[in-house]
Each structure stands twice: as C-alpha cells, then as structure tokens.
Amino acid sequence: MTETRLSFKEMCARFDVTPRTLRYYEYIELLAPEREGRSRFYGPREVARMKLILRGRRFGFSLEEIRQWLLIYGKKGERPQLEAWLQLADRQLVALDKQKAELDASIADLRALRETAVAELDKL
C-alpha cells in the first residue's frame, strides 16, 4: 500500500467496506477518487473523508447529513462547518440518550421477566 494513494481494493481493505459501498459513496458524491482509465485511486483527502463518513455512520448520521456537512467546508469554510457539526452532534446526542434509556428499560424488563421465569421453574 502506498501512503499517498490507495487503489480501490486497498481502500476497501483499509476501511473494511465492500466494493459496492465504496462505489455508492462515489455515486452520491461523498468521495471523488482520481481516475486513471478504469482504475480509481484515493488520496489523503478521500481517506480523511472516508474516516469522517464511517465515524458519522457509527454515530447514527444519515449519508445525506454527512454529505451536506462535508459540502459546507468546500462552500463556506471551516467555521460554518464546525457550527453545523455542533448542531448535528447536539441533536444526535439527544436521540442517542433516548435510545439508551429505552434500551436500559428493555434490559431491565427482560431481566425481571427472566427472574420470574426462574422462580416459576423452581416451583415446578
């Protein structure tokens, strides 16, 4: 693997994504690799963008939200991009906290139901 450019195959391997995923990210303009004939090469900019895309997905952002956020930098610069990021992050933190509370409640309910089943089994 070269440090400055990754081939299509190397990019898939480095980020553990399928070729279909990588082509889709290019199709929706999240990535813009260099092309030489039919070959694609990914430089430092695309590698950095891929890291941001995967991190954003892990946090629960949609691909369109990530795409719009990445576009801000090119059109308006770093400050507006960071301001937009803070708004997205604040919104997503609220959503994740809600999901966590719901998950904690489900786990507690399941544990209680399991304990009831164990108690019933002991009676038999």
Side-chain angles (χ1 to χ4, degrees):
M1 248 191 278
T2 64
E3 287 301 313
T4 55
R5 289 183 359 159
L6 299 175
S7 69
F8 185 83
K9 192 174 185 177
E10 291 169 333
M11 190 76 161
C12 289
R14 176 175 281 183
F15 291 102
D16 193 26
V17 297
T18 65
R20 182 178 179 184
T21 296
L22 206 50
R23 283 190 294 271
Y24 183 68
Y25 288 173
E26 183 180 345
Y27 175 75
I28 62 171
E29 300 177 347
L30 285 172
L31 298 174
E34 299 172 38
R35 289 183 171 269
E36 291 177 12
R38 294 187 54 157
S39 299
R40 296 175 175 99
F41 294 96
Y42 300 84
R45 176 184 180 270
E46 301 313 305
V47 169
R49 287 173 73 94
M50 188 66 169
K51 288 177 186 175
L52 290 171
I53 293 163
L54 295 178
R55 186 177 291 161
R57 295 298 291 152
R58 194 176 87 233
F59 295 149
F61 296 114
S62 72
L63 289 175
E64 181 57 23
E65 288 171 323
I66 295 166
R67 192 178 77 75
Q68 291 297 323
W69 179 73
L70 289 171
L71 281 173
I72 292 170
Y73 183 79
K75 291 181 179 178
K76 298 180 183 179
E78 188 175 1
R79 184 176 181 87
Q81 186 185 42
L82 288 173
E83 290 168 348
W85 167 249
L86 288 173
Q87 289 178 352
L88 285 170
D90 289 345
R91 189 210 67 219
Q92 196 62 17
L93 284 168
V94 169
L96 289 173
D97 282 337
K98 182 180 177 189
Q99 288 177 355
K100 182 178 183 266
E102 291 169 357
L103 187 56
D104 287 343
S106 294
I107 290 169
D109 288 348
L110 183 56
R111 283 200 172 118
L113 208 54
R114 185 186 184 284
E115 288 174 21
T116 301
V118 168
E120 287 296 317
L121 193 58
D122 288 344
K123 291 180 188 176
L124 299 176

